[in-house]
Amino acid sequence: MDIVLMFRFEIILAALILAIFIMSLRGFDTNVKCFLNTMNVLLLLNFIAGWLPLSEGSYFSDFFRTNGLIVLQKNIINLGLLLISLTSYAWLEQSKYRLEFYLLMLSSIFGVYVMLSSGHILMLYLGLEMSTIPIAAMSNFNLKEQRSSEAGIKLILSSAFSTGIMLFGISLLYGAVGNLSFASVIANLHPNVLTLFAFAFILAGFAFKMSIVPFHLWTADVYEGSPIAVTNFLSVISKGSVIFVFLTVLYSLFGGLKEAWLLGISIVSILSMTVGNLFALRQQNAKRFLAFSSIAQVGFVLVGITAASTIGSASVVYFVLIYLLSNIAAFGVISAVADSTGSESLQSFKGLYKSNPFYALIMAVALFSLAGVPPIAGFFGKLFLLTAGMKSGLYVLLGFAGVNLVLSLYNYLRVVKYMFIDDNEAHLAPLNRNRQLTTALYICLIGLIAIGFVTPIYQYIDSLCRF
């Protein structure tokens, strides 16, 4: 029974994927509402099952391992999966490929699970690729739009390039250590030219996946060309899971090289925050705006990572949870506006409060959270990241973070101004509010208001972060 519980995430997901195949054979997906509601119920049960008690352990010569922190990370991913499914209800109702969408999305999540539970670098690499390849197909779901095909091609090419770089780094690491299990790397890694080159290439591979400057050039085009549901998945699930794994790789595997990577992480953090915020200033497309916003947010995450301690790990996991709720709420409103107006421009949000106060309020709370405005949860997330960053003593980095907080506040307030102050000449009509989208937005709203004040949440995360 213990082994079943230990593998429950993977077993349940495999069962869901098998269920989708059975549904396709029986034509169950032709009954659109029944199919979508069934999938949402199954994803809810999947999320609930993730909280069953579980003992720590490892299998297959430590290729697979699990502990409290990994379980929490998987549950955060499961929450994001459920909310994205709910917010995408209207789009999936109109799409011919709803069954394929769930199949690819769950296949990507399976890769995420493998990646999070890996105890060997080759297993980590396998999970990383399993989670990335389905997203490239998902990006090209709008088959009639050239920009969607362009997004899929750009994601494949950038992913292939980053994979090659990471594999080269892994081969150098194998040459330096002689074994790629986490335990062997930790025990035998010593600072020298070969290990530093290995780390640089592996870091570059992760930087592509996380959209860290200067490896971010694919992000805005892929976000804009993909369907909103896929962009939401990319910005939340894909990026959040890679951040979780990056924490393990940086703190555990390369913890002995801290003095060498601290400066490099600080430099790319400053570049990501600054470039993300400056480029967001001139964006008029909502998805491109949030693309550069996500680049800037990763810069702030790297500030917390520089702490290289338990507080740094806890602050990052805590922030990713808040970032997940903020971004899903923002993309949920964008999808509602786009479905009604046919436009993804920020100009479409002008006068939103007068015609749709509910959506305007949700969007404002999400943007305030991303900006770090108190008392929304994003403020506490940024506060903990900066507090963790202070442990590193890199005060120049904190100075740049402070400047970028002001820049980001201007970016997000610009959109709030559109919604609450500006008038819309097109006289935006009341938007449709389906039950699924409304439920997801309420969950995000309650979470963003409550999380910052429920201190046991951070204390629980902190207790699980042991490096």
Side-chain angles (χ1 to χ4, degrees):
M1 188 63 183
D2 285 344
I3 190 171
V4 173
L5 285 174
M6 192 167 290
F7 285 90
R8 69 170 179 265
F9 290 96
E10 292 73 21
I11 292 172
I12 292 173
L13 204 61
L16 285 176
I17 293 172
L18 180 62
I20 291 176
F21 277 116
I22 294 173
M23 289 178 190
S24 67
L25 292 175
R26 293 186 168 275
F28 184 67
D29 61 309
T30 55
N31 189 338
V32 178
K33 291 186 177 181
C34 184
F35 171 73
L36 293 178
N37 289 329
T38 300
M39 288 306 305
N40 287 329
V41 170
L42 290 175
L43 291 177
L44 174 61
L45 294 175
N46 175 51
F47 174 67
I48 294 172
W51 295 100
L52 293 174
L54 172 69
S55 58
E56 299 183 4
S58 63
Y59 283 89
F60 311 120
S61 300
D62 211 31
F63 266 67
F64 180 94
R65 62 197 177 90
T66 189
N67 54 45
L69 180 59
I70 292 173
V71 169
L72 174 64
Q73 290 169 346
K74 289 181 179 180
N75 281 323
I76 292 174
I77 297 300
N78 282 343
L79 174 61
L81 180 64
L82 173 62
L83 293 176
I84 289 172
S85 178
L86 291 171
T87 57
S88 307
Y89 186 90
W91 174 71
L92 290 170
E93 206 173 16
Q94 304 299 321
S95 175
K96 297 178 182 178
Y97 308 105
R98 63 190 70 90
L99 187 145
E100 291 83 355
F101 174 80
Y102 278 108
L103 183 62
L104 289 169
M105 185 168 65
L106 293 178
S107 299
S108 178
I109 294 295
F110 196 90
V112 169
Y113 289 168
V114 171
M115 181 171 59
L116 290 173
S117 290
S118 58
H120 194 281
I121 291 179
L122 290 183
M123 197 68 172
L124 187 155
Y125 166 75
L126 179 64
L128 189 62
E129 292 310 301
M130 285 176 62
S131 67
T132 302
I133 293 172
I135 303 176
M138 291 165 65
S139 299
N140 191 26
F141 255 49
N142 289 338
L143 299 177
K144 296 181 180 179
E145 294 187 18
Q146 181 179 346
R147 65 174 188 168
S148 187
S149 301
E150 192 177 313
I153 291 172
K154 285 182 177 179
L155 186 55
I156 290 174
L157 292 177
S158 63
S159 178
F161 185 54
S162 65
T163 295
I165 291 176
M166 182 177 287
L167 274 177
F168 185 65
I170 291 172
S171 66
L172 292 178
L173 185 63
Y174 180 75
V177 177
N179 195 309
L180 292 177
S181 70
F182 284 9
S184 296
V185 173
I186 293 169
N188 300 304
L189 188 69
H190 304 289
N192 56 51
V193 175
L194 192 57
T195 56
L196 289 176
F197 267 106
F199 170 74
F201 283 108
I202 292 173
L203 172 62
F206 275 108
F208 267 102
K209 306 293 185 183
M210 294 164 61
S211 304
I212 296 173
V213 175
F215 305 99
H216 68 292
L217 298 177
W218 62 273
T219 310
D221 291 338
V222 173
Y223 275 41
E224 182 182 9
S226 303
I228 294 175
V230 179
T231 305
N232 201 354
F233 185 88
L234 259 173
S235 70
V236 172
I237 304 297
S238 180
K239 183 164 293 189
S241 61
V242 175
I243 289 173
F244 288 150
V245 174
F246 186 61
L247 270 177
T248 302
V249 169
L250 204 59
Y251 284 10
S252 296
L253 268 64
F254 293 101
L257 303 180
K258 176 186 173 183
E259 299 301 324
W261 58 250
L262 196 58
L263 180 60
I265 294 293
S266 300
I267 291 172
V268 295
S269 173
I270 292 171
L271 289 174
S272 298
M273 287 186 291
T274 307
V275 171
N277 282 317
L278 289 178
F279 275 76
L281 286 170
R282 55 191 294 269
Q283 302 305 317
Q284 289 301 320
N285 180 279
K287 289 194 289 186
R288 290 184 72 90
F289 173 77
L290 287 180
F292 285 106
S293 163
S294 71
I295 293 170
Q297 298 296 336
V298 170
F300 285 105
V301 168
L302 294 176
V303 174
I305 287 177
T306 58
S309 62
T310 298
I311 187 175
S313 177
S315 65
V316 170
V317 174
Y318 182 75
F319 181 80
V320 169
L321 172 60
I322 295 168
Y323 171 79
L324 178 145
L325 295 173
S326 304
N327 255 36
I328 290 178
F331 276 112
V333 176
I334 290 172
S335 66
V337 173
D339 288 343
S340 178
T341 64
S343 172
E344 296 171 354
S345 171
L346 290 177
Q347 302 294 326
S348 303
F349 287 83
K350 287 187 173 181
L352 183 65
Y353 177 72
K354 295 178 181 177
S355 57
N356 298 273
F358 172 74
Y359 286 122
L361 175 64
I362 296 291
M363 190 67 169
V365 170
L367 294 175
F368 284 148
S369 180
L370 291 170
V373 175
I376 311 301
F379 165 75
F380 298 97
K382 291 277 179 68
L383 177 64
F384 292 146
L385 286 177
L386 296 177
T387 302
M390 289 182 67
K391 300 291 183 181
S392 65
L394 298 172
Y395 298 111
V396 174
L397 173 61
L398 293 174
F400 274 97
V403 172
N404 278 283
L405 279 173
V406 177
L407 273 176
S408 65
L409 181 61
Y410 173 81
N411 282 327
Y412 297 122
L413 285 179
R414 176 166 64 99
V415 182
V416 174
K417 172 181 172 292
Y418 286 162
M419 295 188 296
F420 288 86
I421 297 177
D422 292 355
D423 290 322
N424 193 334
E425 296 178 0
H427 300 294
L428 190 64
L431 306 178
N432 293 327
R433 286 177 56 178
N434 65 71
R435 184 172 65 254
Q436 291 78 7
L437 175 60
T438 303
T439 301
L441 293 180
Y442 270 122
I443 292 171
C444 293
L445 177 64
I446 294 170
L448 291 175
I449 293 175
I451 284 177
F453 296 100
V454 183
T455 52
I457 293 178
Y458 180 80
Q459 292 170 352
Y460 173 67
I461 295 173
D462 186 61
S463 68
L464 297 175
C465 295
R466 300 186 299 272
F467 286 99

